[in-house]
Every structure is written in C-alpha cells, then in structure tokens.
C-alpha cells in the first residue's frame, strides 16, 4: 500500500499539472476571500474563517476530481493496470494506496490555508479567533475532502478517459453534497420527510461539523460514504479482472444485491446512531451545547413546529452573522426534538406589493416586532440603498403562535456600544428566545399569577401592558388584599406594584404566611412620593414618605428600601417646554438624572445580557442580615451615580451638575434584588392562638414560623419600572421613553424574566446566562495594511507551494541524479 501511495505522490508532483491544480485552488480561495467584495473576510469585520469554510467545499468540488481523475483511468489507458495485478498486492491495498495518495495531495493543498488563520489572528482586535471552532471546521473540511476523494476514486475506475472521470466525479460530488438538500426544500416534502431527506446529503453533516462541533453521527455518516465508495471501487475493479464472460444470472443478481445490501446495512447503522447525542463542542464558549432544561423541553415536543424566519437575502455583516447563528441554533433544536421543527427562511417583503407590505409591517408591530432599516454600503459613484428587514421569527404549534424579536431592545448607539456588540448580545439570547417560544406554545398548564389590590395599587391604563402580558402568558387573577381572608396558594406568584397606602398587620401577616407556604412575591415599591406630573406643574417638588410601613417585613427578607432617590448620569431624557413658537410650545428633551438607565446583573439569568431598564424616581436598596437568605442584585446604576436623601427636593437645578462626573461619585447602586432561601416569619411568637388556628383551617397546615422549603422574593425600588406611560393616543408600551424618540427600553423583558424565574418549572430562563465573546478585526489595522494583508493571504500560500515544489525537485534531482 505504501509503495503505491509513494508512486502516486511521485507521479503527481513530478509534473506541472499537479502544482497548477493546487495553485488554482489557493488562488481562487485567496481572491474570493480577500479581494471580491461580497465574500471579503477583511470587509466582514469579524475574526472568523466562516466564509472560507462556506466557500471551500465548492472549490474542492473541482480540485479533488482533478486530483483523482487519473488514479485508475490512466492505468487503464496505459495498460499498466494489468501489470499491477502481477504484483503481490491485494486489490484492497491497491485502492487504499491510491486513495491515501490523493487524500495526502488534498491535505497538502489545504495546508497553506493556515496562513489565513494566522493573519486573521494577527488582525483581531478583540477576542481573537476561536481556535477550537476553527480546529473543528478544519476537521470537517478534511472529512469532506476524504468523502470527495473516495467518490473521485470510484468514478476514475469506470473509464479510460481522465476528462470523463473528472466530469463524472465533479457531478457526483455536487449531487451528493447539495442534491438532497435541494430536494428536501421542495414543497411536496415540507410536511415531514424534508429533514430526513436533507440528512442524506453530505452538506448537512459538513455544515454541522464546520461550526466546530464534532458529532459522532456526522463522523459515522461521512465514514460510511467513504467506505461505500471505496468498496464499490473494489467491486468494480474485481469485475474488470474477472471479465464479463464469466457473468451469469447469479453473478448479475449479486452485482445488484451486494451494493444494495451494503447500503441498507450502512443506512441501518446510521439510523441507529441517530439516537446517539454524543458530540464534542470545540467552540470556546460552548455555544452549540444546549442546556439541560432546553434538551428536556425539546424531548417533550409531540407535534410539528413551524418557524417562519424572516432574516434572509442580502444582509449586512453583523445581521448576517446573527441570521447564520439563528439558523444553526434551530438546526440544533431540531436534532433534539426528532426533526419536528420546520424552518422556512425567507424575506416576506419581497413577495408583497406596497399595500400588502404596509399591512404586514403593521401586523408585525402589533406583535411587538419592530422592523428596521438596513443601509447598504455604497460603492464608489453609487448612492446608498436602503432596505427594510424584519429581525424576527414566528413560531407556530397547532393553534398557537408566538413571535420572537431577535433584536428586541437592541439599537446601535445605545450606551455607546458598537453595533457589532449588540448583535453579539442578541446571539447569546438565541437559545433562550427560541426555547422560551417553544416552551410557551407547548406548555400544557399555565402557572397562576395574581395582581394585588387594596393599598392604592393602580388598575388603570398605566398597568395596561403589564396586565395584558400576564393575561396572555399565565392564568391571571386579581387579589383584593383588603377583603380576602388569605392569599390562595394556588397562585404560583403575586405581583404588588406601586402601593400608595399603609399595609396593616393583618395584610402583612397574609403576605408573610403566603411566602412561608411556598408562594412567591414581586414587590415594585416607591417608598417616596415623587411623580413627574407634579414636577411639570410646579417645576420643583418635595419627595415625601408614603408611609407604607413595610420596613419590618422587608427586613425579614434581608433587604431595606431606602428613603432616597437615585440620580445617574446614565439616564433617559425628559421632554420639557423651553419656549413658545407662535401659539405652540417648543419641546426639547433633556437628560434627566432622576430617570436612571439601570444595568443588569452579571450572574443572574433574570437580568444578564439585558439592555438598559428605564426607572423613574427610583429608591436605592441595601442588604441587611437575614440568616439563610441569598441576595442577588438584579438592577443597579452606572459608575457615575449618587443618592439624595429625604427631604429630597426634585428640581431642574440638578442639571447644573450633569456635566461634572465628580458630582456623581457612587457606582453600582442596587435598585432591584432577588432574595432566595428559607424565610423567617415576621410574626413568629406574636400571633394569637385563635388567629393561628383560623389560618391553619384555611391553609390546612399550621401557622409557620419558618418556610419549609426555599422561597423567592424580588424587591424592586421603583414601581414605575412595571408601569407604562399614557398619552393622548392611549397606553404606550412598557419601557417606551417619549423623551428618547419613543425608544423602548428592556422593562418588559425584565418584568417577564422576573415572572418566569419565579413560576416556570422548565428553567428555560437559565439559558440567558450564556456568554459569547465578540470577536472583531482591528479595523484601523485592516485599513492601514489592507494591500499588505491581501498579498500575504493570496501570495504567501502560492509561494509556499512553489517553494515546496522547488525543494522536492531539488531533493529528487540529488537522489536520482548522476
């Protein structure tokens, strides 16, 4: 075998044709990846070789047939195949030798492309290239090359004409690589078998490995393809040696039954392997490793889920990368639910006239999906072009529909973040958003959530968005705290928003025992009375204590809501009247420190990777000693903030100091906190026996001095976070700031996450804790040395091949010369 392998390698590298094939392969890759604008890695801006691994298979479709076309056809044409049969060499070793030689040539052709990796690593300005993912992608490319080589060897064994062998091999590789994927996309197969038809194609398995994920099923499939075509090659060569004269009916039947039997065996082995989910995620952040809650949830999907995915067509770099990541994530989901997810990726706006397009966009906005305008980079001498895109997906299951906005709360320029960082943040939430959508539309029983009234809590248009959201996602009910004997434990959680009057001991006892019996509470309170309407009327107000008398109850939770107001340089804008233009007021938005934009936690899935949350006249929180209680900050101020104690005078004088960061010396002031553990009763040893007996009759359990199992309470020092503005047009969406061009901050996401964390047993919210590193190229370095890096990536691989060929010829000349 090694003798044949060395003979083939000598033959390939002893003439100019072999070097030309490799040089053409590298030249095409270099031009496509570093010159042509549509596929230019340097213009893409990300430190990744994804484009190379997308493009390389199509170039290998031509390179590998050019390498393998002479393997047997030349032997047949020259009559040397019969000579090989006289050697003490089995047919299997002969095929293995030729196959190994061709594969080594392909690997030699791929070796100079490592220059791309070194250059991108040198140009990376943030994060660096993901070495693990790149290693996995190269492994996928090697396996793909091995499969193409086996196909090329088989095609070469059928003819004496090398050109015919090249054409047939290229066509066969093309069909087996992309043909099944194209067939699976036909409408006739969209009802179920499309996923399994796509699995028959090589591209399905190559794309899986090229992400940097080595799955035993993909390796086994490609190994089966290699074994099948090498076996077919040996079988065909055997028939050539035996001659057609010896063929009888039995041999003809075996000629058909043998390959079919092998295909059936390999198919069965691959079908059995489909139940294996052993894989190695080589990416640094393990981005393709689904969490245990997601896997469990997907395993319970009992019917098809249709996903209309609207990010398709010609997209800018950042949004295109997000679209690819979303497609990969949905493919990963599909594997864990038995192929029940049907993804239809298309741009709906290209299929509609102007009237239908406007109606469609309105329907998207009503679902909470905000279309965005993409401005295409103008070429020299051309005008910029604009295109409306919809960064969203619609999940459909039976009669349920759930919209997913991939970029909810994401906008370039917020917090001074680069656009690429915002798309990277969106990538980290893909598993959560898709998993949450499937969880919502497939859940059998919705949790029960109650909204508490009785102490001045609002039940008007200011909580319209909150109430509508709770009605849509949970079994919703109103709890009049001042007129019920107890809070029913059938409610998984209750929400108390901006109470305005004192809580009695009876009411606090009910809340105390509700928590100790397994209930969970979200408190959104303002301990000081401070309203923006008063400020607009009087141009200055005094914030005063509401007298809620909740301090003792909160102390038992392990938290204190301070009687102060938070001011922050990172803030939203307040529209104020600065003058009159005729008879119309002239309104100008000003930065208003009393409207802090709060940042999320770095650890809690409730607020990690969350966009800013808008607060209004928020109170700060402090922790106090509470044995057995874990405290986690959910929302906090920026690095430039401060608090103003009572009596707090709210006036526009604060604007005098907003240009001086030294006046805001405090950082990360807590405004929302999660408390978890076994809570102690505020009323231990204080409740009369008659009251305790009465409560025991209702709860069917005795009065508790300590909770029997860990509980959860969330305390937020601002009720306005849970409330929406109301204008002349009606209630606005939660988190919308009129002073910031109606930008929608992440208040709704925060509220939904709080509720999900408390009541959802699937634990899907935990998937929000993923971290993705933003891997960008250093744009300044790229632009400054673009020509140099283009030469390195195009010219250096070619020079390496030429230099290697020169060294080989020099060694060969010295070895075999005079």
């Amino acid at each position: 075998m090694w003798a044949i392998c060395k003979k083939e390698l000598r033959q390939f590298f002893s003439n100019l044709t072999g070097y030309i094939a490799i040089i053409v392969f590298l030249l095409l890759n270099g031009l496509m990846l570093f010159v042509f604008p549509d596929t230019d890695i340097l213009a893409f801006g990300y430190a990744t070789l994804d484009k190379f691994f997308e493009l390389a298979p199509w170039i290998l479709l031509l390179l590998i047939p050019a390498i393998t076309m002479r393997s047997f056809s030349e032997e047949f044409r020259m009559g040397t195949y019969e000579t090989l049969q006289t050697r003490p060499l089995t047919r299997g070793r002969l095929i293995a030798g030729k196959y190994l030689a061709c594969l080594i040539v392909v690997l030699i052709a791929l070796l100079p492309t490592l220059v791309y990796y070194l250059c991108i690593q040198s140009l990376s300005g943030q994060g660096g290239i993901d070495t693990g993912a790149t290693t996995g992608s190269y492994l996928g490319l090697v396996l793909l090359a091995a499969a193409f080589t086996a196909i090329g060897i088989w095609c070469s064994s059928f003819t004496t004409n090398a050109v015919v062998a090249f054409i047939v091999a290229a066509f066969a590789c093309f069909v087996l690589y992309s043909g099944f994927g194209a067939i699976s996309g036909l409408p006739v197969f969209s009802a179920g078998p499309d996923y399994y038809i796509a699995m028959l194609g090589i591209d399905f398995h190559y794309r899986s490995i090229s992400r940097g994920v080595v799955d035993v099923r993909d390796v086994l499939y490609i190994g089966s393809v290699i074994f099948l075509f090498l076996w077919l090659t040996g079988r065909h060569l055997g028939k050539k040696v035996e001659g057609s004269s010896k063929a009888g009916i039995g041999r003809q039947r075996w000629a058909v039954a043998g390959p079919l039997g092998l295909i059936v065996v390999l198919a069965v082995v691959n079908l059995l392997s489909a139940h294996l989910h052993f894989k190695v995620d080589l990416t640094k952040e393990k981005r393709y490793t689904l969490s245990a809650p997601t896997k469990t949830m997907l395993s319970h999907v009992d019917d098809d889920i249709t996903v209309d995915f609207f990010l398709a067509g010609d997209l800018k770099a950042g949004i295109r990368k997000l679209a690819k990541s979303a497609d990969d994530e949905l493919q990963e989901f599909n594997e864990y639910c038995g192929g029940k997810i049907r993804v239809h990726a298309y741009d709906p706006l290209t299929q509609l006239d102007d009237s239908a397009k406007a109606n469609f966009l309105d329907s998207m906005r009503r679902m909470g999906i905000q279309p965005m305008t993409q401005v295409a980079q103008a070429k020299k001498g051309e005008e910029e072009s604009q295109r409306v895109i919809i960064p969203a997906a619609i999940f459909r299951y039976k009669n349920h529909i759930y919209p997913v906005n991939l970029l909810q709360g994401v906008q370039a320029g917020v917090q001074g973040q680069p656009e690429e960082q915002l798309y990277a943040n969106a990538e980290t939430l893909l598993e959560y958003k898709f998993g949450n959508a499937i969880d919502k539309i497939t859940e059998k029983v919705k949790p029960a959530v109650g909204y508490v009234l009785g102490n001045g809590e609002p039940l008007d248009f200011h909580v319209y968005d909150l109430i509508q959201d709770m009605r849509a996602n949970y079994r919703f009910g109103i709890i009049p705290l001042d007129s019920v004997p107890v809070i029913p434990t059938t409610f998984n959680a209750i929400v108390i928003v901006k109470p305005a009057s004192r809580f009695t001991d009876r009411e606090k006892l009910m809340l105390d025992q509700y928590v100790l019996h397994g209930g969970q509470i979200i408190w959104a309170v303002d301990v000081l009375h401070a309203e923006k309407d008063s400020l607009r009327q009087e141009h200055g107000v005094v914030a005063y204590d509401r007298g809620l008398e909740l301090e003792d109850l909160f102390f038992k939770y392990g938290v204190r809501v301070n009687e102060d107001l938070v001011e922050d340089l990172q803030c939203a804008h307040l529209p104020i009247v600065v003058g009159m233009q005729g008879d119309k007021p002239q309104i100008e938005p000003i930065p208003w420190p009393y409207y802090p934009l709060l940042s999320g936690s770095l650890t809690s899935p409730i607020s990690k990777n969350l966009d800013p949350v808008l607060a209004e006249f928020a109170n700060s929180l402090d922790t106090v000693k509470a044995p057995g209680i874990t405290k986690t900050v959910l929302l906090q101020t920026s690095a430039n903030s401060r608090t103003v104690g009572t009596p707090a005078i709210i006036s526009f004088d604060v604007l005098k100091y907003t240009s001086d960061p030294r006046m805001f010396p405090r950082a990360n002031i807590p405004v929302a906190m999660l408390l978890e553990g076994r809570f102690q009763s505020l009323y231990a040893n204080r409740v009369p026996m008659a009251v305790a007996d009465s409560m025991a009759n209702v709860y069917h359990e005795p009065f508790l001095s300590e909770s029997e199992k860990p509980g959860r309470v969330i305390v937020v020092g601002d009720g306005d976070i849970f409330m929406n503005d109301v204008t002349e047009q009606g209630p606005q969406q939660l988190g919308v700031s009129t002073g910031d061009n109606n930008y929608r901050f992440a208040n709704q996401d925060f509220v939904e996450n709080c509720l999900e964390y408390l009541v959802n047993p699937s634990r899907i919210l935990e998937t929000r804790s993923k971290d993705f590193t933003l891997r960008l190229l250093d744009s300044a370095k790229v632009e400054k040395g673009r020509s140099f890096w283009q030469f390195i990536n195009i010219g250096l691989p070619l020079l390496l091949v030429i230099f290697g060929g020169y060294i080989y010829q020099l060694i060969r000349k010295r070895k075999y010369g005079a």
Side-chain angles (χ1 to χ4, degrees), residues 36 217 279 292 366 506 540 594 598 709 739 807:
F36 297 165
R217 295 166 295 177
K279 61 184 179 182
R366 286 194 295 271
R506 187 189 71 83
Y594 291 105
L598 304 174
K709 60 181 181 179
I807 295 297

Side-chain angles (χ1 to χ4, degrees), residues 88-119:
L89 189 69
T90 64
R91 191 183 308 127
R93 292 184 175 227
L94 172 62
I95 295 170
K98 286 183 172 290
Y99 172 76
L100 187 59
C102 292
L103 185 57
I104 289 174
V105 173
V106 177
L107 296 180
I108 291 173
L110 290 174
L111 198 59
T113 64
L114 291 175
V115 171
Y116 307 158
Y117 167 81
L118 297 174
C119 288

Side-chain angles (χ1 to χ4, degrees), residues 12 122 149 259 271 283 290 316 398 484 506 554 718 724 759:
F12 187 88
S122 300
T149 302
L271 284 173
T283 60
L290 295 183
K316 290 177 66 177
K398 296 181 179 178
V484 296
R506 187 189 71 83
F554 287 165
D718 181 24
N724 53 261
V759 304

Side-chain angles (χ1 to χ4, degrees), residues 376-408:
Q377 188 69 34
K379 298 179 181 177
K380 190 173 182 179
E382 298 181 1
E383 295 183 358
E384 287 185 340
S385 61
Q386 294 186 348
R387 173 192 166 198
V388 176
I389 61 175
I390 303 173
I394 305 295
F395 284 70
R396 305 177 192 273
Y397 171 81
K398 296 181 179 178
N399 296 322
H400 303 286
I401 297 177
Y402 195 92
V404 174
N405 188 348
L406 301 182
L407 293 178
Q408 184 167 335

Side-chain angles (χ1 to χ4, degrees), residues 173-196:
C173 289
F174 173 78
V175 169
L176 290 171
Y177 180 72
S178 62
F180 290 101
I183 293 172
S184 70
L186 296 175
V188 68
F189 298 118
S190 62
D194 53 345
Y195 177 74
Y196 299 100

